[in-house]
Every structure is written in C-alpha cells, then in structure tokens.
Amino acid sequence: MPFKRHFKNISQADAEAASSSPALVLKQEFVGTKNKNQETGKGHHLITSRKMGSVKFLIIFLLIGLMYEMGKLHQIERLELTVEIPSLEKNDAEPHRYEGLIASNKEDHLHANETKLRGSSSSHPSITSNDLKQERQQSGDALLSPGPLQNDESEHLISRQNVMSVLKKMHSGNLINRGYLVHLLTKSKELLHSIDSVYDVAYPNNDDPSSDPKVVGDIHGQFTTMLHIFQVNGFPSRNHVYIFNGDYVDKGHTSVQVLIALLLFKLHCPECIHFTRGNHEARMFLKGRVRKQTIRQYDEEVYNLMVEVINEIPVAIILGHKVLFIHAGIDSPDLTIDKMKAIPKGVDSEDHDLMSNLVWADPKDEDGLTESSAGLEFGPDISKAFLERNNLDRIVRGHTSVHDGFADQHDGRVITIWSAPTEGRGSYANIDSSLVLHVEHFDAFPKFSEIEDWSVL
C-alpha cells in the first residue's frame, strides 16, 4: 500500500536533486520559509525506499543539513505519516441485499457515511443524532428533513393516497419527514392504547374468496417481503383484511419501515389490519438493532416514542369467536381469555410474567407443560384443555422458523405460520369463511415488482 512523502517550499533545483523513482514511500511535510532573495516554490517529489548505499544516505543527510544552515528551510514543522486506504463508500453499481430490500439507496449511503464518521478504531467518538440531522439537511432532499410537519401534511396523514405515497418513498429508499413520523407514532399510540390486550375481530362479510382474510407470521424487518405479500394478495383494505402475528422488527435491516407501514394502514383503516405483539417487540431486542436503525435514521427521541407505541400493541386476537391468533402460545390449561385481557397496556413483556410466557411459549409433541431455556413448552393435552375451556377451535401462532414456513401440530389445533425466511420458503395463509387456513408458500427474499402508479392500489 503506497505511502507518500511530500516536500513543501523546496526550490525546483533542490527538489530535483532529491527525486527518484516511486516505490514504498512515506508522506512527510516540510513547511518553512525561503531566503528573501529567493522566490518561493513548491514541489512534490518521491524518495525511493529501495535500499540505498551508505554514500547516498550520507549525501542526502548533508544536503538537508546544508539547506537548513543556509536558511533555505527555516524549520521543519511536522512529520506526518498517513496511509492511503480504499474509500468506505459502497459501490452502487452492485446492489446489496438487505434481507428483502435492495440497499443501494439513501439508507445505504447513510450507513456508509455513519461507518466513515465512526471510523474503524474504537477510540473514535460515536456518531451523534446531530451529525445525521446535519447530513440529512445538507442532502437537499425534503424527505430527509427533520423539521416539523406542515398543516396539509398532518391533515392528510392517513388518506389512502398519502399512505401509498409513503410506501413508495420508503421502497425507493427515502426516509419520511421526522415530524410526519412523530405525528404518526403519537396518533398510533393513542389508537392502540384504546384497544384491549385481547380483542375480537368479526369475519368479513364478503363472499369473494379472493377477499378472505390473510394471516402473516414473523416479518423481522423484511420490508420487501411485506410488500410482496401485499402485492400478490392486495394491499390492506376492507376487502383485504390482514392479521400479522408478531415479530415485525429486529434481524432485518428495515424494521423501521415495516413498523411505519403497519401503523399507517392501522390509522387509515383500523378494521383492515390487525397485529399482535411478539417476543422481539420487547426491550431486550429493541435496544439492539432496532435502536441502532432508528437513531441512524432519526434520533433517540423517535426511538423512545416508537418503544412506547410498541408497548401498546395487543397480545392476541380472536377471529370469528373461534381462532386465537397469538405470537407464541399458552402457559397453562387453566389460562382464560379474561386473564389475558387483564394484561395491562403500555408495559414491556419482560415486566409482566404472563405476557412474557405468551410471547415465548412453544408447542411440543409430548403431553404436559415443561420449561426450556427459551420458555415454556406445552403439549397436545394442554392446548386441547385450553381450547375447550375457552370455547375455541385452534391456535394460530408464529415465533418458530419451521420448514416451508408452516407447521400443523396437536391434531390441527396449533398452526405455525412463518413469513421471514432467510433461506428456503416462508408462508402466509388465507382464512375461509369456515375458518380453515389455506397456506401459500413463497421463496426467501421474494422480488417486489416495480409499481408505476401506487395511487391506484
């Protein structure tokens, strides 16, 4: 790797005497003054690092000493050693896959710039939110502006046209206005707080099979996977109702975008989309990747507000009085829906034992209830007793990365849907009027076709 030695304020004649062929060189700067009778000049010359004989070294040493004594160099101000390294900017000619989002976009550039600002040494100071705000302001892109909302933006926040416009902008790699996001989070917190921890959803009164409700499992920050599912089945509306079953964030690189999309549709049409809380919607996971992504794109205040919104997400949903949608499972045959409804809103799952059990439990093939390193495991006898006690038919869950994104356990009483594959296939399911699930599979990181006119969706 090349090093350079630069001489400043050395006359052309003196510099020629020191010149040689380039090789491995040091970068050294000499800053001084010339004699009054001499014209100041600049030259950049390279001194070879090849082995020189003792005579050459002696001549050069004497020459520099003579120049100093004659006043041609008043002082040697500093010796600077630098290493030329390749640029840390990513090559936009080659797209980088971010678990479902092609990252040759503005967020990718922000991430590259963050890397440059942080440096490779742990002694370098951490990048601050002010650094990123300044960077976004300098970009000239109004979408990156951290300023407050204009009145017309606030009034039309939840219109269909506005929702689709935001999705388009995020899919293009742009960040939405910070004030817009704060307004969205504030309104979402109010709405979600008004919903019980467990609530009933009536089956849509629609005879069109293509309009059957869809259940989606874990998404884990795969924004493009979410858009693919919407594109294939219809974006959320009264004719296309969705139930998302927890774990929207973490692991993937677009957790913020996934959460924004869910909240926008919920504000636009509360009966069109429903979602439960997963174990990754908890402080122990949010403080890692999700916090880093949010602060990189916005700031700590936005992250804290986002956590408050997440803590208001319900624990479970009951469709048609018969199917329980819950992220992980149950912790007792004696558990009742009333006990679940009594779970307080606005708390982290780590701070509430029952909620923690419900977002961590796993089904097992053997009867009984046992503890594992990850949480409780419930057998077929436990799920059967729970369903009978609460007059339910089945449990639909996510939480577990199962083969092909689908698993049928406990004689059909426990169904697992996984929608965030990093290899193999994932799945989602259509739910017909008899509350039977029809599973659809898709490959990991599905492609999302470009849409020319988002306003018609």
Side-chain angles (χ1 to χ4, degrees), residues 33-40 67 70-73:
T33 58
K34 292 285 185 179
N35 287 341
K36 293 181 180 179
N37 297 330
Q38 289 186 324
E39 218 174 278
T40 301
M67 291 166 61
M70 294 176 63
K72 291 185 176 182
L73 285 177

Side-chain angles (χ1 to χ4, degrees), residues 146-173:
L149 279 174
Q150 302 298 320
N151 289 334
D152 58 341
E153 291 179 303
S154 177
E155 292 173 359
H156 298 92
L157 173 64
I158 59 175
S159 70
R160 183 74 175 187
Q161 180 179 359
N162 187 272
V163 171
M164 300 311 296
S165 175
V166 171
L167 292 185
K168 178 181 178 181
K169 290 172 181 177
M170 293 193 301
H171 177 250
S172 299

Side-chain angles (χ1 to χ4, degrees), residues 244-255:
F244 282 79
N245 216 2
D247 279 9
Y248 321 107
V249 299
D250 199 30
K251 296 188 179 180
H253 291 262
T254 47
S255 294

Side-chain angles (χ1 to χ4, degrees), residues 80-248:
E80 179 184 352
L81 177 65
T82 62
V83 180
E84 292 185 352
I85 61 175
S87 171
L88 292 177
E89 290 284 359
K90 295 180 179 178
N91 181 7
D92 285 339
E94 298 181 7
H96 307 271
R97 183 171 291 283
Y98 269 24
E99 293 191 17
L101 176 69
I102 299 300
S104 54
N105 54 36
K106 285 185 174 60
E107 180 176 347
D108 195 27
H109 293 312
L110 286 175
H111 186 272
N113 289 336
E114 177 187 357
T115 304
K116 292 174 69 178
L117 287 170
R118 287 186 185 276
S120 59
S121 171
S122 60
S123 63
H124 288 195
S126 297
I127 188 171
T128 65
S129 59
N130 289 333
D131 294 328
L132 294 176
K133 283 182 180 179
Q134 183 179 6
E135 178 182 326
R136 289 195 289 269
Q137 288 173 321
Q138 291 173 349
S139 72
D141 191 334
L143 289 167
L144 307 182
S145 170
L149 279 174
Q150 302 298 320
N151 289 334
D152 58 341
E153 291 179 303
S154 177
E155 292 173 359
H156 298 92
L157 173 64
I158 59 175
S159 70
R160 183 74 175 187
Q161 180 179 359
N162 187 272
V163 171
M164 300 311 296
S165 175
V166 171
L167 292 185
K168 178 181 178 181
K169 290 172 181 177
M170 293 193 301
H171 177 250
S172 299
N174 293 312
L175 303 180
I176 65 173
N177 178 287
R178 181 189 183 278
Y180 187 113
L181 178 56
V182 169
H183 184 80
L184 167 65
L185 293 172
T186 302
K187 292 298 183 183
S188 298
K189 180 183 176 182
E190 295 174 1
L191 174 62
L192 292 173
H193 183 74
S194 68
I195 301 173
D196 291 339
S197 291
V198 180
Y199 69 100
D200 296 304
V201 173
Y203 191 88
N205 186 17
N206 194 324
D207 295 331
D208 183 1
S210 66
S211 299
D212 289 345
K214 313 293 187 294
V215 56
V216 182
D218 307 43
I219 286 292
H220 277 306
Q222 294 187 17
F223 183 51
T224 299
T225 297
M226 170 188 275
L227 292 179
H228 167 78
I229 293 173
F230 287 160
Q231 188 175 39
V232 171
N233 298 282
F235 283 75
S237 67
R238 289 178 175 82
N239 291 327
H240 301 288
V241 176
Y242 284 85
I243 298 174
F244 282 79
N245 216 2
D247 279 9
Y248 321 107

